[in-house]
């Protein structure tokens, strides 16, 4: 959706290096930011999310940071492995103050980790 | 997998024919969503439902209709399929107003010739 911009569209890294994917959003009232991983031919699966009351969240090699002032959030993958190769999507809420739960998704980043 | 199934998983059809895709869930989730996924466009919302018989349009609803006559089933219909509707269709659920996470079904790959 237009309300979420995701960069880069493709990213290639060497195994062991770090990867960073960034998304910007337009609605300053947005308060929930999930990241999904989609392997080839599979469904998108939630890997981590963050709410606007925190600036960073970590889960093993994955972290998400949120900058509310600049209205962007980023996915960080450290010590990348070939199995991290996938398409990653960010998302943000489409409705301010609504319970409908609609999400705008970024266009995705194809991450390739070379052994 | 949040108890979500989609059928069929693959379908080939001809332009102008009607097509219905089914999303079935077993965990009594209130909110259900239909997305299409195309290269370079990410996931785009077609229609969504916030309860039985309660549905509304998403950002790419033209050419699609939906129905939800019972909690567990959310149907997506292409009244007269066109080649531009060739895509992968994903259903998603969200369990309630305080649960923001969406979980996706396995997807349906549709080819319109």
């Amino acid at each position: 959706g237009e309300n979420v911009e995701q960069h880069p569209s493709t990213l290639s890294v060497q195994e062991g290096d770090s990867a960073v994917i960034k998304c910007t959003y337009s609605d300053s009232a947005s308060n929930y930011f999930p990241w999904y991983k989609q392997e080839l031919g599979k469904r998108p699966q939630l890997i981590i999310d963050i709410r606007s009351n925190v600036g960073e969240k970590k889960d093993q090699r994955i972290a998400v940071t949120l900058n509310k002032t600049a209205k962007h959030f980023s996915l960080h993958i450290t010590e990348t492995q070939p199995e991290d190769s996938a398409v990653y999507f960010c998302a943000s809420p489409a409705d301010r103050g609504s319970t409908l739960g609609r999400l705008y998704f970024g266009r995705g980043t194809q991450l390739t980790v070379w052994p | 997998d949040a108890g979500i199934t989609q059928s069929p998983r693959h379908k080939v059809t001809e332009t102008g024919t009607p097509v219905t895709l089914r999303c079935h869930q077993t965990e009594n989730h209130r909110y259900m969503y239909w997305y299409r996924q195309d290269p370079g466009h990410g996931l785009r919302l077609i229609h969504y439902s916030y309860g039985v018989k309660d549905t509304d349009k998403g950002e790419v609803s033209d050419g699609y209709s939906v129905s939800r006559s019972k909690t567990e089933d959310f149907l997506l219909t292409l009244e007269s399929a066109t080649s531009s509707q060739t895509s992968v269709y994903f259903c998603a659920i969200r369990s309630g107003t305080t649960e923001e996470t969406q979980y996706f079904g396995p997807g349906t790959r549709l080819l319109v010739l």
Side-chain angles (χ1 to χ4, degrees):
Chain A
E2 307 80 13
N3 290 3
V4 181
E5 292 190 7
Q6 182 173 345
H7 297 282
S9 58
T10 61
L11 180 59
S12 292
V13 299
Q14 202 75 32
E15 182 176 3
D17 288 348
S18 296
V20 181
I21 304 169
K22 182 177 175 180
C23 286
T24 58
Y25 59 97
S26 58
D27 187 353
S28 58
S30 294
N31 58 3
Y32 173 68
F33 306 94
W35 284 93
Y36 288 82
K37 175 184 180 182
Q38 186 179 28
E39 297 176 348
L40 189 63
K42 302 287 183 64
R43 74 188 80 190
Q45 294 200 306
L46 179 77
I47 54 172
I48 195 167
D49 56 18
I50 191 169
R51 287 168 173 78
S52 59
N53 57 344
V54 297
E56 184 177 6
K57 183 177 179 180
K58 287 184 179 180
D59 183 2
Q60 300 183 344
R61 297 186 297 107
I62 293 173
V64 56
T65 58
L66 172 64
N67 184 326
K68 290 187 288 184
T69 302
K71 291 191 287 187
H72 66 71
F73 56 108
S74 299
L75 178 70
H76 305 255
I77 306 174
T78 59
E79 301 173 24
T80 54
Q81 302 168 2
E83 51 264 39
D84 294 329
S85 296
V87 179
Y88 292 81
F89 294 97
C90 64
S92 71
D95 309 293
R96 176 185 292 210
S98 168
T99 60
L100 295 175
R102 298 189 304 165
L103 295 174
Y104 284 131
F105 283 85
R107 297 192 175 200
T109 297
Q110 172 67 63
L111 173 64
T112 303
V113 181
W114 300 99
Chain B
D1 293 342
I4 310 168
T5 57
Q6 292 184 234
S7 59
R9 294 294 313 280
H10 304 270
K11 186 170 182 66
V12 180
T13 191
E14 294 186 348
T15 298
T17 60
V19 177
T20 295
L21 309 182
R22 180 189 186 218
C23 179
H24 180 76
Q25 52 110 345
T26 59
E27 298 181 1
N28 208 34
H29 299 296
R30 178 180 174 185
Y31 297 89
M32 301 182 75
Y33 310 84
W34 275 109
Y35 293 90
R36 61 177 289 172
Q37 184 176 35
D38 306 288
H41 289 277
L43 293 150
R44 294 181 292 174
L45 183 65
I46 305 171
H47 280 278
Y48 62 101
S49 171
Y50 45 97
V52 173
K53 292 186 168 50
D54 292 323
T55 65
D56 206 346
K57 297 178 179 180
E59 57 184 316
V60 290
S61 60
D62 287 348
Y64 301 94
S65 63
V66 290
S67 66
R68 192 163 179 206
S69 59
K70 45 187 179 177
T71 299
E72 55 265 37
D73 289 323
F74 191 30
L75 304 180
L76 176 71
T77 297
L78 291 65
E79 301 290 347
S80 178
T82 67
S83 58
S84 65
Q85 293 176 313
T86 292
S87 188
V88 180
Y89 291 86
F90 286 100
C91 172
I93 61 90
R94 185 170 71 93
S95 43
T97 55
T98 57
E99 172 55 64
E100 294 152 310
T101 303
Q102 291 188 22
Y103 298 93
F104 287 86
T108 293
R109 190 172 294 273
L110 177 66
L111 174 61
V112 183
L113 300 174

